[in-house]
Amino acid sequence: MKWYAQVVRPSTYNQQSTSVLVQIDSQRYLFNCGEGTQRLGFENKMRMSKISAIFLTRVDWETMGGLPGMLLTLADGGMGDLTICGGHNLTHALAATRHFIMRNKMGLRVNEMRDGDVAAAFQDKNLQVKPVHIYPDGYAVPKHELGPNESAEARTRRLLVARAFGVPRTPEEADKRRKQPADQQKKGYYSEQCDGATMEALMQRLEEKDEEEANQKKRSRSPDFNARPGQQFDVNLPPTRPTPVALCYIAQGPD
């Protein structure tokens, strides 16, 4: 197993943010996404399209100024099932971008790592990441920043994010999608799929799909197809308060 880390630091007269790009096998993990990170990555051929998770140390412009543009690029390139991890107000910040980022097929997974939430850690086959919350001296952490957030305001924020970015696929769906190209390489696959009955059923499914897509376009271009045009954002984003919390990440690879 090969892995390495690259420091990405676009330095301009008004922006000096630092990001770290970690690659383990074919997966990439980005820590912070400041303004200019995507441009610098493309200039140095870092292949940002392979990113599977983004971690933010703070929820502010210095650490996530380049995130909206990165999401647009990844979504338009066919990237899906992206995970974004960060501290308190992460879901609120992403929901606030819903008016200019509408990529409902992306399947964005938001992991708001709140202090005291034991289930907030990130883990996949390559990397395990645990957050450490850091506060200024003398700061009294309010109760609404601690533990899992299941309030009505939190559910509204998650709903708005799901409307704008879609719902991530289940592991079974993702595994099925990955296996399809390999199945098509098997000997006799196409001959088995091209008998008369199968071709007729395939053509019928294609016609049904075209009809369904046409009906969806008629109803709305919104990710919420059940809503009337212009109704998808009737729900207001609940207000929130800024927090000085910073996250330090402890990342561990496979044994």
Side-chain angles (χ1 to χ4, degrees), residues 39-110:
R39 173 185 56 79
L40 188 62
F42 287 152
E43 289 177 355
N44 291 274
K45 300 180 180 179
M46 292 182 179
R47 300 186 67 181
M48 295 291 189
S49 60
K50 297 294 184 178
I51 292 175
S52 59
I54 298 176
F55 302 86
L56 304 177
T57 55
R58 286 179 287 117
V59 181
D60 62 14
W61 186 257
E62 182 180 349
T63 59
M64 61 180 299
L67 185 59
M70 180 75 75
L71 292 177
L72 287 171
T73 301
L74 294 177
D76 293 344
M79 176 69 184
D81 301 331
L82 177 70
T83 300
I84 299 181
C85 301
H88 180 65
N89 283 338
L90 175 62
T91 309
H92 182 94
L94 292 171
T97 67
R98 66 195 185 282
H99 292 291
F100 59 92
I101 300 181
M102 294 292 296
R103 298 297 185 270
N104 62 299
K105 294 184 179 180
M106 186 175 188
L108 188 67
R109 182 179 291 104
V110 181

